[in-house]
Amino acid sequence: MRITKQKLYQKHLAERPLTMEQLVELVKDDKSKEMIERFRDKLRLAYPNKRYKVTQKIPQLLFAGTFRRGEMKEYNGWILLEINHIASRSEAVNLRRKVSEYPQTLFAMVGASGRSVKFVVPYTRPDGSLPQVRKEAELFHAHAYRHALKTYEPRISYPIELKQPSLEQSCRLSYDEEAFYNPAALTIHLEQPTEMPEESFHQEKYNKLVPEESALKSQFDRYRYLSIQYELALERAVERYGDLGEKMDFKPVLVCLGDLCSGAGIEEEECVKWTQLYLGNFLSEVEIRETLQNAYQRTKGFGNRPVCKPEQLQALKTEEFMERRYDFRFNTMTGAPEYRERNTFCFDYRPVTERVMNSVALNAQKEGLQLWDRDVRRYIHSDRLQDYAPIEDYLSRLPVWDGKDRIRLLATRVRCDNPHWEHLFYTWFLSMVAHWQGRDRKHGNSVSPLLVGGQGCGKSTFCFNLLPPELNVYYTDSIDFSKRRDAELYLTRFGLINIDEFDQVSEKHQGFLKHLLQKPVVNMRKPYATQVEAVRRYASFIATSNHVDLLSDPSGSRRFICIEVNGMIDNTQPIDYGQLYAQAVAALDKGERYWLTHEEEQMQMQANEVFRQRPLYEDLFFRFYRPAGNKEEGVKMSAGEIYLSLQQESGQKLPQGQVTHFGRFLKKTNLPVFSSNRGKLYLVVKK
């Protein structure tokens, strides 16, 4: 059984399989020691969540098996569990020893930060086999992860960090000279599941050895909180006994300040240090220190009387509660906040509904926090929530492109007679990604592939599979052009829109469809807003149909890449979405063209003639008239006169609203044209 080591070299990801013996040797190596000690020194002085270049140099370890360029080569059934945010290195060492005592533990080490423990638990099916097809491995891994977490967490009484189980779950390489490895570890048996485990809000109930934290502090924020408390205490003391100045009696100010700071929970030495910054020019350090010391000694209830105003205290408690219990974000595409509960088996974000806000308020009240639904709504609809752009986020996490052409290869799955199909699809795909990235804010992706084929040949499935699973919610095949406002909103809410059954789009909506295809931004008024905003467009279009006669507007046919599908579309082969979209981003970064040239548009318009709907008046015209061969033959007639004569000759009732379109048709037939006081006259010969 082997694992995978990944390391980034100048933006190129190097992957190497390792045996566990090689890993243990690497974890205890002197080179690893030098790298990890340097990382720990940086981490000791770092701001929370700050990333440093030294972090990128540390290899990542994928314990679930061997991988190559995003593809799983071998699955080993090993589950990685992590215990993070441990108080000290010594506590992490003791915890690693405790985890190592269990016979099911295969490997355990202190993490790269020195304040975490990473350990591995092996799983197999009851017959000792393991799934090797990725889909089956993902199901098995998800259930095994949940089983391992519920097995170990109650035993060790420490909270194991909940992460969405995936085969690519990894941790950094670390240095631990006492790293544990037991090649004879007991393997836990698990039946092969048939579906993913349901997400659950269930939490195990037992005593966890977690340091107690105040409702008003957390790591780095504690210092900020105490600093604010001091400033408020100084402000209150000065307000009570006069402005700071040389003629001021400082003694009552210091006594009041010491009393307030003690009640707020500020250590005496911190209070002395900060007071010197303000009063060091007026008083000696000895006087400041002795006065504050006496004030602290006579004050009872250290930390029981915060100086915050009631509304400040409520805001701080609300923020701490929200950050501890939930993860919130604002989805810029849907225009709505999303949430997930922390420390539960709920890994996917859900929309924040009225029911959710009421539940948050009730959970807060259970903890003694006077939080009402209006307070929750105020927090949810504020800048406390970070913006989340799902498509940009996905594109920013793509691997480095390996150089293999996957976009044109994907196009070959659709067999057709158009020799330019692969190139046209490639250009359209680049345009879709370019507009997702916002490379062109002045134009929309106005070109759309239109797949024409028989029922059940896989057209809609092919369109759906163009988006990766992470972005499937931003795909739709249901759009109603009669509801114009909703249709325009779809441009901002979806990344890909499939106009399914394109032939069902009525002729009166063709103009609006053309408008949507070329619209670069959407001017709209959001719910509860008073002003109209220009909202960015994301959506690109693709379309399908079972019928060949589709295009009713000859001038608009340049906006469609119509192809007739021959046979079944190959939707069975897996798609490497990471490399597929990495290729598009790499091509765009190199400056490749993502729009059709005028020549390509003209070429496609000619190819689209096969798919054009031919109005009745065209057939009737060629039935009863022909262009004049010279100026001496034929008669001069206006478009209206010819149109009326077609009705009389054929006995067919032609719509009066089609006269304008008929005139455009005559202009395209290259008939001899003469100007007169009756307008344009066409020279035609009656058959």
Side-chain angles (χ1 to χ4, degrees):
M1 295 289 191
R2 297 182 298 174
I3 67 169
T4 304
K5 185 185 80 166
Q6 293 180 341
K7 188 173 182 180
L8 199 62
Y9 290 100
Q10 298 179 349
K11 296 185 179 181
H12 292 283
L13 187 65
E15 297 174 308
R16 176 191 170 194
L18 292 177
T19 64
M20 286 303 298
E21 289 75 15
Q22 290 174 321
L23 173 62
V24 173
E25 183 179 344
L26 190 60
V27 169
K28 299 181 180 181
D29 187 66
D30 289 338
K31 290 184 179 180
S32 299
K33 178 180 181 181
E34 181 181 349
M35 176 177 57
I36 299 302
E37 289 296 338
R38 187 164 62 251
F39 169 71
R40 289 172 180 172
D41 289 340
K42 281 279 188 182
L43 196 64
R44 199 172 296 117
L45 304 174
Y47 288 96
N49 301 322
K50 179 72 174 179
R51 294 183 179 271
Y52 292 93
K53 290 184 178 179
V54 66
T55 307
Q56 300 176 355
K57 297 180 180 180
I58 302 177
Q60 294 283 338
L61 304 174
L62 282 66
F63 282 94
T66 54
F67 298 84
R68 183 67 175 169
R69 293 177 179 176
E71 296 183 6
M72 185 190 76
K73 298 298 182 182
E74 182 183 16
Y75 177 65
N76 56 30
W78 294 348
I79 305 299
L80 172 64
L81 299 176
E82 304 180 40
I83 304 172
N84 299 318
H85 309 298
I86 301 174
S88 64
R89 173 78 179 277
S90 59
E91 186 176 349
V93 171
N94 291 334
L95 184 56
R96 189 244 296 135
R97 290 172 181 165
K98 185 174 182 179
V99 170
S100 303
E101 293 174 357
Y102 296 101
Q104 296 87 357
T105 304
L106 175 70
F107 174 77
M109 68 178 181
V110 174
S113 66
R115 296 177 54 194
S116 63
V117 173
K118 321 291 183 180
F119 61 101
V120 178
V121 185
Y123 277 77
T124 66
R125 292 166 173 167
D127 60 359
S129 65
L130 285 166
Q132 294 305 319
V133 178
R134 184 179 180 93
K135 186 174 182 180
E136 293 182 356
E138 288 175 343
L139 296 175
F140 185 87
H141 199 81
H143 282 267
Y145 176 84
R146 183 170 296 195
H147 183 274
L149 189 141
K150 289 186 175 183
T151 300
Y152 270 82
E153 198 173 50
R155 295 180 179 181
I156 59 180
S157 297
Y158 271 84
I160 297 175
E161 184 165 334
L162 283 175
K163 293 189 175 182
Q164 188 164 7
S166 74
L167 301 180
E168 285 81 8
Q169 186 177 342
S170 64
C171 69
R172 294 190 190 97
L173 175 68
S174 182
Y175 171 75
D176 186 356
E177 58 186 4
E178 298 180 358
F180 172 80
Y181 172 53
N182 177 18
L186 295 180
T187 303
I188 302 176
H189 291 174
L190 184 70
E191 293 283 353
Q192 174 64 46
T194 58
E195 58 183 15
M196 282 288 184
E198 293 183 0
E199 291 195 344
S200 169
F201 294 97
H202 174 71
Q203 299 185 51
E204 297 293 332
K205 303 297 182 182
Y206 50 84
N207 295 324
K208 300 182 182 182
L209 302 179
V210 184
E212 294 184 1
E213 293 187 0
S214 167
L216 301 175
K217 59 189 177 182
S218 62
Q219 299 177 2
F220 177 77
D221 293 334
R222 170 173 167 73
Y223 182 84
R224 293 290 123 218
Y225 165 70
L226 293 179
S227 175
I228 294 172
Q229 290 285 288
Y230 176 83
E231 298 298 332
L232 292 172
L234 179 62
E235 179 185 359
R236 188 175 299 180
V238 171
E239 284 179 355
R240 187 174 299 177
Y241 294 102
D243 295 334
L244 295 176
E246 295 182 0
K247 298 181 180 180
M248 178 182 176
D249 186 0
F250 292 99
K251 191 67 68 176
V253 174
L254 288 176
V255 173
C256 179
L257 179 63
D259 178 65
L260 293 173
C261 289
S262 175
I266 301 173
E267 295 292 340
E268 181 182 329
E269 190 59 33
E270 293 290 335
C271 183
V272 171
K273 180 177 65 176
W274 290 338
T275 304
Q276 281 184 273
L277 296 176
Y278 285 100
L279 304 180
N281 294 333
F282 306 107
L283 304 174
S284 66
E285 179 183 351
V286 175
E287 184 176 359
I288 293 174
R289 185 176 296 277
E290 292 298 326
T291 305
L292 290 176
Q293 181 180 7
N294 291 332
Y296 267 74
Q297 288 178 350
R298 59 180 286 275
T299 303
K300 296 181 180 180
F302 178 80
N304 293 334
R305 292 175 286 110
V307 191
C308 285
K309 298 175 182 178
E311 56 271 20
Q312 290 176 316
L313 184 62
Q314 177 75 358
L316 287 170
K317 286 184 175 181
T318 298
E319 193 161 335
E320 189 277 336
F321 169 79
M322 292 294 193
E323 292 178 355
R324 174 169 47 84
R325 291 286 302 271
Y326 304 95
D327 286 323
F328 289 103
R329 69 186 186 190
F330 183 81
N331 191 317
T332 57
M333 285 190 67
T334 62
E338 300 174 338
Y339 87 106
R340 66 181 180 188
E341 280 206 55
R342 288 190 171 189
N343 300 318
T344 67
F345 288 114
C346 293
F347 302 109
D348 294 330
Y349 281 84
R350 297 173 170 81
V352 176
T353 62
E354 194 72 24
R355 182 179 182 183
V356 169
M357 287 190 284
N358 290 335
S359 299
V360 171
L362 292 173
N363 290 337
Q365 291 171 18
K366 279 187 177 181
E367 295 190 13
L369 181 62
Q370 293 301 310
L371 196 67
W372 305 99
D373 54 350
R374 64 177 182 274
D375 303 313
V376 176
R377 185 174 288 103
R378 185 183 299 117
Y379 181 90
I380 296 298
H381 297 284
S382 72
D383 60 2
R384 297 296 187 274
L385 274 64
Q386 290 187 347
D387 287 346
Y388 168 69
I391 290 181
E392 289 95 324
D393 178 72
Y394 176 81
L395 295 178
S396 68
R397 295 183 286 103
L398 292 173
V400 178
W401 181 42
D402 59 8
K404 182 179 179 181
D405 187 352
R406 287 179 171 82
I407 301 177
R408 293 184 180 89
L409 186 64
L410 180 62
T412 61
R413 299 186 181 190
V414 183
R415 291 179 293 174
C416 64
D417 295 329
N418 190 332
H420 307 288
W421 161 242
E422 294 175 24
H423 167 70
L424 294 171
F425 179 82
Y426 178 83
T427 305
W428 171 80
F429 195 90
L430 290 191
S431 183
M432 178 176 69
V433 176
H435 285 86
W436 283 355
Q437 292 184 311
R439 294 177 185 258
D440 186 355
R441 298 294 180 93
K442 296 181 180 180
H443 307 90
N445 185 7
S446 59
V447 179
S448 303
L450 205 168
L451 310 184
V452 182
Q455 187 76 28
C457 68
K459 304 184 300 296
S460 298
T461 303
F462 176 81
C463 297
F464 179 77
N465 288 341
L466 290 177
L467 291 189
E470 298 90 330
L471 301 179
N472 279 348
V473 293
Y474 304 105
Y475 168 91
T476 184
D477 57 5
S478 176
I479 180 170
D480 187 352
F481 294 106
S482 64
K483 298 179 180 178
R484 295 203 166 200
R485 186 175 183 276
D486 291 346
E488 289 188 342
L489 281 176
Y490 276 32
L491 296 180
T492 69
R493 302 293 169 86
F494 295 97
L496 180 62
I497 299 175
N498 175 15
I499 310 175
D500 205 16
E501 303 297 338
F502 182 84
D503 53 286
Q504 298 299 318
V505 179
S506 64
E507 188 172 342
K508 68 178 181 180
H509 293 141
Q510 292 287 340
F512 179 61
L513 172 58
K514 185 192 300 185
H515 167 72
L516 285 183
L517 289 174
Q518 62 189 13
K519 193 178 182 68
V521 296
V522 181
N523 297 310
M524 57 173 289
R525 182 176 63 83
K526 294 181 178 180
Y528 309 109
T530 57
Q531 72 280 0
V532 176
E533 300 180 40
V535 184
R536 178 179 164 188
R537 164 186 170 168
Y538 285 94
S540 290
F541 285 84
I542 193 169
T544 63
S545 178
N546 299 334
H547 305 285
V548 176
D549 51 339
L550 296 165
L551 306 177
S552 60
D553 181 8
S555 63
S557 67
R558 67 184 181 89
R559 306 186 187 281
F560 297 97
I561 305 171
C562 298
I563 63 163
E564 187 168 5
V565 181
N566 297 331
M568 295 292 297
I569 298 176
D570 182 9
N571 292 315
T572 59
Q573 299 299 320
I575 300 175
D576 187 346
Y577 290 103
Q579 287 297 325
L580 180 73
Y581 283 93
Q583 177 186 354
V585 173
L588 293 169
D589 289 341
K590 289 194 303 183
E592 283 197 34
R593 174 170 55 85
Y594 55 88
W595 59 90
L596 298 182
T597 63
H598 178 70
E599 292 74 16
E600 289 172 335
E601 288 182 347
Q602 294 299 316
M603 174 191 68
Q604 189 54 39
M605 287 180 67
Q606 293 179 3
N608 287 345
E609 282 295 314
V610 180
F611 301 92
R612 192 164 67 86
Q613 292 179 359
R614 298 193 178 275
L616 178 61
Y617 58 70
E618 288 192 23
D619 293 333
L620 293 177
F621 174 80
F622 289 113
R623 177 181 173 185
F624 295 105
Y625 291 94
R626 67 174 176 82
N630 54 67
K631 296 182 180 180
E632 304 301 326
E633 66 173 341
V635 293
K636 297 177 182 178
M637 302 175 66
S638 67
E641 290 172 341
I642 300 175
Y643 195 75
L644 290 175
S645 71
L646 292 178
Q647 292 190 95
Q648 294 171 358
E649 295 289 342
S650 66
Q652 298 284 340
K653 180 68 174 176
L654 299 179
Q656 295 300 316
Q658 295 287 333
V659 177
T660 303
H661 297 286
F662 181 68
R664 295 172 185 170
F665 158 71
L666 293 178
K667 186 177 179 181
K668 285 181 59 181
T669 57
N670 297 320
L671 292 170
V673 183
F674 300 89
S675 298
S676 71
N677 56 1
R678 294 190 294 133
K680 290 184 178 181
L681 300 179
Y682 299 92
L683 188 62
V684 293
V685 177
K686 188 174 181 181
K687 293 181 179 180

